[in-house]
Amino acid sequence: MVGLQPSEVPPTTVVKFLGAGAAACFADLLTFPLDTAKVRLQIQGENPGAQSVQYRGVLGTILTMVRTEGPRSPYSGLVAGLHRQMSFASIRIGLYDSVKQFYTPKGEDHSSIAIRILAGCTTGAMAVTCAQPTDVVKVRFQAMIRLGTGGERKYRGTMDAYRTIAREEGVRGLWKDNFPCHFVSAFGAGFCATVVASPVDVVKTRYMNAPPGRYRSPLHCMLKMVAQEGPTAFYKGFMPSFLRLGAWNVMMFVTYEQLKRALMKVQVLRESPF
């Protein structure tokens, strides 16, 4: 048997919401080391005097992390990453059809391109707003270098990280990002998307991970990075970002379709009188 046969009953909003979040979590589990490698490469060179480990390439970065920090290090921040997917993907993907239908005038069978863009912008904005604290915590864990088994860690766990950031940097610290940067990086797919989104993604990662006072704003972060490292710094972590983007989207959407069919099949069987 190859997969589940499509149900004739259209999936409900709840099914799409839960299915999108679960599928995104599954994709994250399989591609998370690439995301961690991307973060390590993006912040490399930001503070040369404080960094004792140098990373080279995707595989080299992951192997260096495993050798110096242990086999679990590529998955540092995974819990926050799963929190992010359950909040971000569930809203951005799971609610898209419902929001699109809400914007579509009554009596029209098809939504215009403008309506689809508006629906995408709406769910994207909602997703970024809800998921931002999880992204900040995820990046902090991924960027944290812990050498040796007794290496010191600033946060005892994911929930402690949320509390510590809120206590030390204020609630705004959990929403530490430039909204346009994060919003732009959510659009597109493939090589072209990585080329366009990489500069804002690097700035976003550094700004999120920076201690209070290092950067006055995302723009200051960008200008300082260019002055110290040159324009090529905008494309640090490009390869793991590109590899993860393709793999993540394939895994996520294949899993999403199967989950929708499975959940609807279960719902139909539960509602059947026989």
Side-chain angles (χ1 to χ4, degrees):
M1 179 178 178
V2 181
L4 294 168
Q5 295 302 315
S7 172
E8 294 181 359
V9 181
T12 63
T13 300
V14 173
V15 165
K16 287 185 281 190
F17 184 86
L18 295 177
C25 286
F26 177 72
D28 235 33
L29 281 170
L30 299 180
T31 62
F32 201 79
L34 291 173
D35 192 49
T36 304
K38 178 203 74 172
V39 170
R40 291 294 178 94
L41 288 169
Q42 286 179 334
I43 64 172
Q44 184 164 258
E46 182 180 22
N47 192 8
Q51 186 167 337
S52 58
V53 180
Q54 293 296 316
Y55 305 111
R56 294 182 181 276
V58 182
L59 184 59
T61 299
I62 295 174
L63 291 177
T64 299
M65 290 178 62
V66 171
R67 187 177 68 252
T68 58
E69 302 174 57
R72 297 172 59 184
S73 58
Y75 280 93
S76 182
L78 177 63
V79 174
L82 298 181
H83 289 171
R84 180 181 184 275
Q85 295 303 341
M86 281 306 299
S87 53
F88 187 84
S90 296
I91 295 172
R92 184 171 66 91
I93 298 171
L95 296 184
Y96 171 77
D97 288 334
S98 299
V99 173
K100 182 180 68 174
Q101 185 177 6
F102 174 78
Y103 285 138
T104 302
K106 291 182 179 180
E108 292 189 13
D109 295 330
H110 302 286
S111 303
S112 65
I113 294 178
I115 291 294
R116 295 179 184 181
I117 293 175
L118 180 60
C121 290
T122 301
T123 54
M126 292 167 58
V128 168
T129 302
C130 293
Q132 187 62 20
T134 65
D135 205 14
V136 171
V137 172
K138 177 184 76 73
V139 168
R140 295 283 178 96
F141 272 103
Q142 289 176 312
M144 192 186 303
I145 299 176
R146 186 185 183 188
L147 301 178
T149 56
E152 216 177 295
R153 303 196 82 161
K154 184 174 183 179
Y155 311 116
R156 294 190 300 272
T158 304
M159 300 311 297
D160 180 61
Y162 290 121
R163 290 191 295 267
T164 302
I165 294 172
R167 183 176 64 251
E168 295 181 354
E169 304 174 38
V171 176
R172 292 181 60 184
L174 290 169
W175 273 268
K176 187 177 184 180
D177 190 10
N178 182 20
F179 178 78
C181 284
H182 205 142
F183 197 59
V184 168
S185 67
F187 284 91
F191 182 81
C192 292
T194 310
V195 171
V196 173
S198 184
V200 293
D201 193 39
V202 173
V203 173
K204 175 178 73 72
T205 296
R206 291 196 175 192
Y207 190 62
M208 279 183 175
N209 186 57
R214 174 174 291 178
Y215 304 118
R216 295 190 298 272
S217 66
L219 179 60
H220 178 232
C221 175
M222 180 189 73
L223 295 176
K224 190 173 181 180
M225 183 171 66
V226 173
Q228 292 181 348
E229 304 168 57
T232 56
F234 285 126
Y235 289 93
K236 287 187 174 183
F238 178 88
M239 188 52 67
S241 180
F242 170 61
L243 293 174
R244 181 178 184 270
L245 182 63
W248 190 94
N249 276 287
V250 170
M251 294 174 190
M252 188 275 170
F253 282 105
V254 169
T255 306
Y256 181 41
E257 290 303 319
Q258 295 300 315
L259 280 175
K260 282 194 297 184
R261 294 174 184 177
L263 290 172
M264 285 310 300
K265 186 175 183 179
V266 170
Q267 182 172 325
V268 169
L269 290 174
R270 289 182 62 184
E271 294 176 354
S272 175
F274 303 102

